[in-house]
Amino acid sequence: MIALRIIRTATELDIPTVAVYAADDADSPHVHAADQAIALPGNGIDAYLDAAAILAAAEASAAELIHPGYGFLSENPEFARACTAGGYTFVGPAAEVLELVGNKSAARAAAVAAGVPVLAATQGPSSLGDIHEFFAAQLGRAIMIKALAGGGGRGMRKVTSAGQIDDAYRQCAAEAQPAFGNPAVFAEAYLGAARHLEVQVVGQPPHTLALGDRDCSIQWRYQKLVEIAPDQGISDDLRRALHRAATLLCAGVGLRGLATVEFLVSAEEFVFLEVNPRIQVEHTVTEEVTGLDLVALQLAIAGGASYDELGLPAGISCEATTVAGDTATTARGIAIQTRVNAETMTAAGSVLPAAGTLTVFSPPSGPGVRVDTYGRAGLSVSPRYDSLLAKVITQYPGRPSARRCARRARRCRSSASRASPPTWHCCKNSYRTTTFNQASSRPVSSTKCCPAWRRPRWLTGTPTGWPRSSFTRVKKRCVPNWPARWWTSRLKVPRWAPTGSWWCSRR
């Protein structure tokens, strides 16, 4: 999907494009969208992690720039060095910056040096004994075991008792190795009742600028589902502090290009989480509220444009160690992104990538609606790759209008052979919650908005974690929702269920 996004901007800038593809990905739309396409040896993720093959493709096509997108080699410092050594321009931060912020312990140290608050954590790659010792020091409070490299919610487990540590440690290491090529993990204190906010930063040393912030609190098992820009639940003072911290940190590490600084926010306090030195999946909402093309910014910086030549808006910026500006970048209304994933959910509630052929694919359209997707009718979806199928972005001048636009975007329908998107239903339920509509500071988890798919048709009781005041007495009746292979519940007579929401069960 990100390859299509990059090709679109490059085409608008009259830059010829070359796509690479694995043997089992030859029918992917990005292969046909590029001016030239070169096959990589092998299948699946391994093909896209073959740095030597990608450099060989660059040489064969006489390419000058290599854009890594997100995922795969986008945060790999060795790949960035290999690009530079081969005479190519890596579209992203320097290898030294990737190495620094890609190691979460080193990034935490950089945050401390910049005066940004952090949570207590173990240092560097941590052994099982280190994490047991750290948990004991927390006096019974929960901790998070995390992959030392990478991001995206992979290689993370919450631990609430000492008996969970061994299994969580092994699971995190097992997830981190194939995802990031590094099984190292560390432990960090767990901050409950916090929201997940991030600041988009652009840098051309010695300058950095905060382009805006995003609320990514609606998640399913540490995977973001809904992103909102700008955040609607923080004060001007807190927004200013977040932007200042992000620009100061990025200027301190010498950022060139784009990066996202992520924070956990509780009331008026915040702590540093991590830095993602690449374009994010949710870059779309920042583009919609700023009017900027972030991929074009990346290409301009890679092409040697100076900070003043980028045409950036006014906002909170930093030059070396001096922060300037007192007002955040002005946002044009509000934008909401909803992710549509091709997934299935087991009876135990585990989410698995789905495989099959898209027989129907009808994205929404209309004023203020943007859809970034590689989906099309007849496309075969492979379980070997990330399950993200589409991103539906709605933008309107104010929150009520954006919420109406998000409801209109729910008309997006896709039906796949033995594949369906349960996370899409989680997102729709999230939009209907009182918490979302009132833009309160209460954290919203999609696990509270969507039941297990095997839940009985009749829902009784109040789901854990929700105030009873936000519920009303409704009863649901399941009716067919054709052509999708789902039963949609509709209101009938009183019974306990979340206000304005609906629940689904598979037929």
Side-chain angles (χ1 to χ4, degrees), residues 60 99 278 398 496:
E99 203 160 48
R278 52 171 169 79
W496 285 111

Side-chain angles (χ1 to χ4, degrees), residues 255-268:
L255 173 70
R256 179 173 62 88
L258 298 181
T260 297
V261 184
E262 304 196 1
F263 300 94
L264 292 177
V265 176
S266 180
E268 289 294 303

Side-chain angles (χ1 to χ4, degrees), residues 7 10-11 14-19 30-37:
I7 291 170
T11 302
D14 201 25
I15 300 174
T17 55
V18 181
H30 81 280
V31 176
H32 308 289
D35 298 304
Q36 182 181 353

Side-chain angles (χ1 to χ4, degrees), residues 145-168:
I145 299 179
K146 298 181 177 181
L148 194 64
R154 292 178 174 85
M156 291 175 55
R157 292 291 187 279
K158 179 183 175 182
V159 172
T160 57
S161 68
Q164 299 174 344
I165 293 177
D166 290 15
D167 286 344

